[in-house]
Amino acid sequence: MNAQDSPPIIIIGAGPAGLMAAEAALAAGAPVTLCDAMPSPGRKLLLAGRGGLNLTHSEPFDRFLARYGDRAPALQPYLTAFGPEQLRHWATELGIDTFVGSSGRVFPAELKAAPLLRTWLRRLKCAGLRMAVRHRWLGWNDDGTLRFATPDGEVALAASATILALGGASWPQLGSDGGWVAKLAERGIAVAPLAPSNCGFDVGWSEVLRRRFSGAPLKPVTLSFAGARVKGEATITESGLEGGAVYALSAPLRDAIAAHGAATLRLDLKPDWSEERLRLALAKPRGSRSLSSHLARSADLTGVVAALLYEVLNPAVLADAARLAAAVKDLPLTLIAPRPVAEAISSAGGIRFDEVNERLMLRRLPGLFAAGEMLDWEAPTGGYLLTACFATGRAAGQGAAEWVSAARSSSTPGDRPGESR
Ligand SMILES: Cc1cc2nc3c(=O)[nH]c(=O)nc-3n(C[C@H](O)[C@H](O)[C@H](O)COP(=O)(O)OP(=O)(O)OC[C@H]3O[C@@H](n4cnc5c(N)ncnc54)[C@H](O)[C@@H]3O)c2cc1C
């Protein structure tokens, strides 16, 4: 049987990981069908485009790799083969120029995902990709074929190898709902529970703060937790706090809340002022002015910043210049719960790395590969998420194509060890 007569490699999930897996498998000469539950591919990629599509990061590779924390060793081979540099080169070849922003983050010149996705899909179709949208994977039939729910009823598809690139569980309305976890667990695959990553947190605001300040930005603010400090932006929400600086600390905050029931985040509400400057300003005589007007006039502590001080501090601290200055520079805020994974930017947890071999094939289910956010890693925002999805997608696509080709040659008489033509 030649390659064209055998069943295709079926990739399930047309996000960045699945699309890159398709590209790699097609490049190796394998026929590929890419299935997705949604009516069109790449919905989360398109959403990421609304924020400018932060593709990757330009920092030195060692620092880049360290962003994946204790999963850095597991991801290193894939990111070494296809990391930030290769990703930018790939985008350029696709006709999408990229640039490095002032933060070192890398974006497409047009700051959108749609042109990249459109051009990429066109190129994949020219390379022979078959797309099957509105195909929701349901698991396996007894004969090993893949079960899909489609608008025309359930269908069974045979695959020479299968790549799962089903994403995590954030923003389920875009297609990735984590429904795969139970299907793999039934087959004995160890999956770390999916948990919110790059997420907001609940604080439990007073009614006054919630009503008057939800949506208000804290900018700039420096947040600290467990020895890490991040200067950036945060936003007051109905129930707590979200935003880039919060997301950057979300993994240790989430884990601390899981372990202790709450976590204390420290806020520097005046990162550009020294504590001494604040203390001198706040110690100026207040005269007949109200405390609010004194905070505003002496140290420009107004709006949501002043409201937070009233929310957290007791009157004795508010009335003492030295203690107040110290609190503005180091305000403790108790976080009581992460927001649900459905609202998060990404998911932590997934298929454990000891379940897959170096080609991302499940050791217990030969011929089944996994890539992207459904593997057990997490990373902050900054382009690290997409880069690892592309890198693992590419490795799984290559791995599946090699596996199919090896299986085919070992079933060809004469190619089996000990047999002659
Ligand atoms: C608001 C937002 C902004 C973001 N911005 C950035 C950014 O700027 N930079 C960055 O690096 N990352 C960003 N991310 C994260 C990034 O988009 C994800 O990490 C990435 O899309 C994950 O890729 P994936 O291919 O693993 O999964 P996904 O993109 O989630 O794709 C999975 C696909 O699988 C399909 N699927 C799921 N279950 C089934 C099933 N049973 N049957 C068939 N199909 C199924 C889904 O429909 C989906 O198309 C952002 C995320 C969000 C939510």
Side-chain angles (χ1 to χ4, degrees):
M1 199 156 54
N2 67 38
Q4 298 314 314
D5 299 328
S6 57
I9 292 176
I10 293 188
I11 301 171
I12 314 174
L19 288 162
M20 193 54 96
E23 182 154 276
L26 287 164
V32 176
T33 300
L34 178 55
C35 302
D36 200 288
M38 299 300 278
S40 60
R43 297 214 164 183
K44 198 177 278 182
L45 184 66
L46 289 171
L47 178 73
R50 282 208 220 146
L53 194 66
N54 182 191
L55 277 175
T56 190
H57 204 289
S58 63
E59 66 200 349
F61 186 71
D62 283 359
R63 215 181 305 155
F64 180 90
L65 189 61
R67 305 290 178 186
Y68 297 91
D70 55 12
R71 296 300 184 278
L75 288 168
Q76 183 167 17
Y78 314 112
L79 292 166
T80 302
F82 195 80
E85 236 175 78
Q86 293 86 349
L87 179 52
R88 289 189 73 185
H89 180 69
W90 170 86
T92 308
E93 281 207 314
L94 198 58
I96 304 294
D97 288 334
T98 58
F99 72 96
V100 180
S102 55
S103 58
R105 295 175 180 217
V106 175
F107 300 89
E110 289 186 76
L111 290 168
K112 285 184 201 153
L116 182 148
L117 182 60
R118 208 170 33 240
T119 318
W120 194 13
L121 285 170
R122 206 179 304 131
R123 186 164 86 176
L124 288 170
K125 280 177 189 160
C126 287
L129 178 68
R130 295 195 52 209
M131 277 287 310
V133 293
R134 294 190 168 93
H135 274 54
R136 173 172 299 284
W137 178 59
L138 301 173
W140 291 271
N141 290 306
D142 290 343
D143 63 0
T145 53
L146 297 159
R147 293 176 55 206
F148 290 94
T150 78
D152 302 323
E154 190 172 322
V155 298
L157 297 181
S160 56
T162 304
I163 301 174
L164 299 179
L166 301 166
S170 80
W171 289 68
Q173 63 274 35
L174 301 178
S176 31
D177 58 8
W180 54 266
V181 173
K183 295 179 185 65
L184 291 189
E186 272 166 23
R187 300 231 150 185
I189 305 300
V191 179
L194 299 182
S197 184
N198 296 300
C199 58
F201 289 86
D202 289 339
V203 174
W205 299 127
S206 67
E207 180 58 19
V208 175
L209 197 117
R210 188 185 65 74
R211 200 165 17 86
R212 291 193 48 207
F213 292 100
S214 66
L218 291 168
K219 184 182 161 182
V221 66
T222 297
L223 304 182
S224 312
F225 183 70
R229 278 172 76 77
V230 182
K231 187 174 175 187
E233 286 184 38
T235 304
I236 304 289
T237 63
E238 288 266 320
S239 63
L241 212 54
E242 66 177 22
V246 183
Y247 300 159
L249 296 173
S250 64
L253 285 169
R254 177 200 62 219
D255 293 347
I257 294 172
H260 310 295
T264 305
L265 180 67
R266 323 267 335 174
L267 283 67
D268 180 347
L269 295 168
K270 274 285 198 193
D272 300 330
W273 285 42
S274 68
E275 186 176 328
E276 178 65 0
R277 181 179 168 196
L278 262 174
R279 190 182 60 74
L280 291 173
L282 291 167
K284 283 184 194 150
R286 179 170 141 191
S288 60
R289 286 200 304 260
S290 68
L291 179 60
S292 318
S293 118
H294 177 62
L295 295 180
R297 292 255 190 106
S298 60
D300 194 26
L301 297 169
T302 58
V304 64
V305 170
L308 264 180
L309 296 173
Y310 282 107
E311 177 88 1
V312 175
L313 302 175
N314 66 44
V317 177
L318 286 166
D320 179 325
R323 289 171 73 194
L324 179 56
V328 171
K329 295 294 291 172
D330 190 30
L331 189 75
L333 193 64
T334 305
L335 309 184
I336 52 178
R339 294 299 301 160
V341 65
E343 293 175 21
I345 297 286
S346 56
S347 308
I351 299 171
R352 292 191 192 277
F353 274 96
D354 52 12
E355 291 284 355
V356 292
N357 70 11
E358 71 288 352
R359 282 313 210 174
L360 299 175
M361 182 168 84
L362 279 87
R363 295 179 197 280
R364 296 171 206 260
L365 300 172
L368 180 68
F369 295 73
E373 217 180 288
M374 65 186 298
L375 293 166
D376 180 21
W377 57 275
E378 66 177 313
T381 58
Y384 309 101
L385 298 166
L386 283 175
T387 309
C389 289
F390 286 130
T392 53
R394 181 174 175 272
Q398 289 173 337
E402 278 166 19
W403 191 81
V404 169
S405 152
R408 195 178 306 120
S409 43
S410 69
S411 66
T412 304
D415 285 346
R416 286 192 199 120
E419 281 187 359
S420 56
R421 281 172 203 274

